[in-house]
Amino acid sequence: MKAISLFSGAGGMDVGFKQAGFTVIAANEIDTHACQTFRANHIETTLYEGDIANYTNELAHLTDIDVVFGGPPCQGFSVAGKMDITDPRSQLIFSFADVVEKVRPRAFVMENVKALGHLEKFALLRKQLIARFIKAGYTTILITLNAKDFGIPQSRERVFFIGLRQTTNPITVASFQKYYKTPPTLREVISPLGKAGTLNNRKTCKAKITLATKPVLRQSPYAGMLFNGQGRPLNPDGWASTLPASMGGNRTPIIDEAHLFHDAKPWVEEYHQHLMKGGKPYSSDAAPHSLRRLTVDEAALLQGFPLNYQFCGPQSKVFSQIGNAVPCKLAYVIADVVCQTLAYPDFSQNDEHSIGQNMELQFA
């Protein structure tokens, strides 16, 4: 099956679609460094670099396309940002629709942050987008998936707009159940790389770790705000919170190497307990040397990129490429479900959650 990749970034979604058997014949990305990364890893795909509006007509000449997929920029919709509908990047969801209308693939998959699919603030925008897909002939659904439900050690919820043309086999909640898998712990995933700065884990983040003078406490020591910046501590025996595209500075998550490699009692938990009992915050420079930031290679593994994946550009841009990506394994799940649906268009699952046009599915 043939696919077109839009807003491709570093190509994380492409990795998953290729693993599901798709041949990605064309892609589009505007960021220079992400384009360099994409070319280094997807040499068989024709990459159109630049504004997608400049290539819509060119892409329209590609024929017999099975799927158009991609993740338009989410900054205008993210709860971590300004949630600004007037942000020019917010209009790029309609650029995705432009390509779908012109190429007319058998299916499409558009990824974005959960807020776009659920907040009332974006209801009109959602309605306008889905109306265009339906007018173009696509049964369109919204499904929210969390990466950690599919064997990925990261709690990362994203919404997927999935459209199908000329099929009697609907995609339902049941379509994803066979992919359920308990994720490994952070320890299992990143500890094989070795300590930060060693041969297989050299791309360290040098952002200093300082304690907040007015910490914000939550029940979990791995929530709240114990440190300056928005980099949260990670529990090696648990899963990561959503890795942000703003990693590289003080928003990069924090790891306790003594806990990770030597099974020492986690300092973060001890400090949190001290504060919860009414103890005074320590001085800002009191964080132990065993605490350090997540490395580039560790972040890439937590997003599911292959070990030999080549990233290009300054480290800050590489962190951004990783944080912006769709986890490769989650992309594979979506791609495989779509692939099976297209391969067997007359098969019906007879599931009670079967859906018609424009129905939202909440999938926790």
Side-chain angles (χ1 to χ4, degrees):
M1 293 188 179
K2 295 192 296 185
I4 294 174
S5 169
L6 304 179
F7 307 101
S8 307
M13 208 166 179
D14 295 69
V15 171
F17 269 76
K18 288 181 179 181
Q19 289 174 343
F22 285 94
T23 297
V24 183
I25 65 169
N28 168 253
E29 173 56 40
I30 194 171
D31 181 82
T32 299
H33 299 297
C35 285
Q36 292 171 0
T37 295
F38 190 95
R39 289 191 179 97
N41 297 279
H42 304 278
I43 58 176
E44 73 288 350
T45 300
T46 299
L47 177 64
Y48 296 94
E49 181 174 352
D51 189 333
I52 190 172
N54 296 333
Y55 297 109
T56 301
N57 290 331
E58 194 162 349
L59 292 171
H61 288 97
L62 300 176
T63 59
D64 299 322
I65 301 300
D66 295 286
V67 179
V68 169
F69 67 86
C74 64
Q75 291 90 341
F77 308 117
S78 175
V79 295
K82 296 182 179 180
M83 301 177 69
D84 183 6
I85 295 177
T86 64
D87 186 323
R89 294 170 295 187
S90 299
Q91 299 304 308
L92 291 173
I93 58 174
F94 296 109
S95 297
F96 184 96
D98 290 340
V99 175
V100 169
E101 289 168 344
K102 289 181 178 293
V103 174
R104 293 194 58 76
R106 296 170 66 198
F108 69 81
V109 177
M110 192 188 84
E111 176 267 355
N112 214 281
V113 291
K114 181 182 177 181
L116 176 59
H118 292 267
L119 292 189
E120 182 63 27
K121 181 182 182 73
F122 303 127
L124 178 59
L125 205 67
R126 226 167 25 241
K127 183 177 180 180
Q128 293 171 340
L129 179 65
I130 293 174
R132 283 187 59 176
F133 288 141
I134 293 175
K135 185 177 180 181
Y138 293 88
T139 298
T140 305
I141 63 170
L142 276 68
I143 296 181
T144 301
L145 302 177
N146 194 326
K148 71 177 179 63
D149 294 328
F150 301 96
I152 302 160
Q154 183 185 171
S155 182
R156 187 185 187 96
E157 286 188 296
R158 290 294 185 266
V159 68
F160 293 86
F161 292 69
I162 303 177
L164 298 171
R165 184 167 57 86
Q166 299 176 340
T167 180
T168 57
N169 177 16
I171 290 177
T172 72
V173 170
S175 305
F176 295 90
Q177 290 176 347
K178 69 177 182 178
Y179 300 92
Y180 281 5
K181 184 178 180 182
T182 301
T185 64
L186 292 182
R187 185 189 303 278
E188 292 173 296
V189 175
I190 68 176
S191 61
L193 289 175
K195 294 183 178 182
T198 56
L199 181 62
N200 296 318
N201 200 9
R202 293 177 292 181
K203 302 169 188 174
T204 58
C205 174
K206 302 298 185 182
K208 188 176 180 180
I209 297 174
T210 57
L211 300 179
T213 55
K214 295 181 179 179
V216 178
L217 299 179
R218 298 286 185 267
Q219 283 300 114
S220 168
Y222 299 100
M225 299 289 288
L226 301 183
F227 302 90
N228 290 319
Q230 296 180 4
R232 301 290 180 86
L234 300 179
N235 182 1
D237 297 313
W239 309 313
S241 50
T242 301
L243 299 183
S246 54
M247 290 184 296
N250 65 9
R251 294 189 176 189
T252 311
I254 296 167
I255 289 285
D256 185 344
E257 284 212 338
H259 184 196
L260 177 62
F261 291 106
H262 304 297
D263 292 322
K265 188 171 183 179
W267 183 89
V268 169
E269 294 182 14
E270 290 185 329
Y271 181 50
H272 177 264
Q273 188 177 41
H274 162 78
L275 294 173
M276 292 293 281
K277 289 180 177 179
K280 293 183 179 180
Y282 296 164
S283 63
S284 63
D285 60 353
H289 294 303
S290 63
L291 299 186
R292 50 86 171 173
R293 304 283 181 178
L294 201 68
T295 70
V296 166
D297 293 307
E298 290 167 345
L301 278 184
L302 293 177
Q303 285 282 59
F305 283 100
L307 273 171
N308 62 349
Y309 209 79
Q310 300 177 51
F311 290 95
C312 303
Q315 183 163 288
S316 62
K317 297 297 184 181
V318 171
F319 266 122
S320 179
Q321 292 171 42
I322 293 170
N324 273 325
V326 175
C328 301
K329 188 178 293 185
L330 182 57
Y332 164 78
V333 169
I334 294 285
D336 200 50
V337 167
V338 172
C339 181
Q340 295 301 317
T341 303
L342 295 179
Y344 305 103
D346 297 321
F347 175 75
S348 175
Q349 299 182 56
N350 295 318
D351 180 75
E352 63 178 355
H353 295 291
S354 291
I355 52 182
Q357 293 186 337
N358 190 17
M359 179 174 180
E360 295 189 20
L361 294 182
Q362 176 66 32
F363 188 70

